[in-house]
Amino acid sequence: MKKLNAREMRLSLITAGVILLGLSYQILNSQLTRLKGLKRQELSARVERKQQQELLAQKPELIEKLSTVKGQLPRHKEGQDLKSELARQVQSLANKSGLRLTGLTPDTEIFLEELDLYQAAVQCSWSGSSKSLVAFLYQLNELGAVADIRDLRLRNRSGTSNALSGTFVLDFVYSRVPPAEIETGVDSLPEPVDNPPAP
């Protein structure tokens, strides 16, 4: 093997140094990136822990509120199919407000195990004026926690507020009880209050 002269030796040492510096930079850069990621995870964990502590501190108050709300919800017999009943109640609200329902599709009931409650949704398509839509939403709001609207969509093809149409989904929440526990029959939606009582 040929012996390297001084110039070649210097070039190989410089090359080895550059390679060593490049590798060191790559390793250091990956370690710094990993360290930043760990710091982000630690900060995220701290924030989540703080939120969990705040929720735990509020737990007694939240349990009390949940009990109050559960007491206001309708109770239905176990095993009773509520699809037609819920569709009828939605139609009744729409009739009172002047909103025309062009389609009603009840969804399958869901059991909310953590809350020991049931939820059923009714998908609706509608048409009417902005005034009738607002009246419908107001009446729905007056029912309290019994029902809530989600995914409200509206179209205005004519450009006037009297020719709106669209879709929405109404979620109903209720409890189920054995038939023997219901004394006066199946609870229904409370009627909206036109004039709230004076304080």
Side-chain angles (χ1 to χ4, degrees):
M1 185 168 142
K2 181 182 163 186
K3 204 172 190 184
L4 298 174
N5 64 29
R7 182 174 178 266
E8 291 172 333
M9 186 64 85
R10 279 193 302 258
L11 283 174
S12 31
L13 285 174
I14 290 171
T15 303
V18 168
I19 291 172
L20 186 61
L21 279 173
L23 286 172
S24 299
Y25 174 77
Q26 288 294 336
I27 292 169
L28 185 62
N29 192 33
S30 69
Q31 292 296 328
L32 286 173
T33 304
R34 187 167 171 256
L35 184 63
K36 285 179 186 175
L38 288 172
K39 284 185 178 179
R40 266 190 242 116
Q41 286 177 354
E42 181 188 3
L43 180 62
S44 184
R46 281 185 191 168
V47 169
E48 188 174 338
R49 187 170 53 245
K50 178 77 172 160
Q51 290 172 339
Q52 294 295 330
Q53 288 170 344
E54 288 174 3
L55 282 175
L56 282 173
Q58 295 174 354
K59 187 176 179 179
E61 181 184 329
L62 293 174
I63 289 173
E64 188 178 322
K65 283 182 182 178
L66 177 62
S67 296
T68 303
V69 169
K70 278 176 113 174
Q72 298 169 358
L73 296 177
R75 300 177 312 144
H76 298 286
K77 292 178 187 175
E78 288 176 346
Q80 181 185 9
D81 185 9
L82 297 173
K83 289 180 180 178
S84 61
E85 172 71 15
L86 296 178
R88 184 192 63 73
Q89 291 175 358
V90 174
Q91 187 66 58
S92 174
L93 280 174
N95 289 344
K96 288 177 187 174
S97 63
L99 195 68
R100 187 164 86 70
L101 296 180
T102 55
L104 283 167
T105 310
D107 286 343
T108 308
E109 177 180 86
I110 300 169
F111 178 55
L112 307 169
E113 190 173 347
E114 323 77 51
L115 303 173
D116 193 29
L117 293 172
Y118 292 82
Q119 175 186 348
V122 179
Q123 297 182 24
C124 306
S125 52
W126 60 273
S127 64
S129 67
S130 57
K131 185 178 178 180
S132 60
L133 177 61
V134 169
F136 178 82
L137 294 174
Y138 176 78
Q139 286 184 12
L140 185 65
N141 186 58
E142 289 296 302
L143 297 177
V146 174
D148 196 14
I149 194 164
R150 70 176 156 93
D151 200 22
L152 173 63
R153 298 170 188 235
L154 55 104
R155 292 181 293 278
N156 184 355
R157 292 193 175 126
S158 68
T160 68
S161 65
N162 290 329
L164 300 175
S165 63
T167 60
F168 59 80
V169 178
L170 274 183
D171 287 318
F172 291 89
V173 179
Y174 47 90
S175 60
R176 292 273 193 183
V177 294
E181 287 187 29
I182 297 183
E183 300 134 295
T184 59
V186 176
D187 293 354
S188 61
L189 287 179
E191 293 297 318
V193 179
D194 290 336
N195 295 317

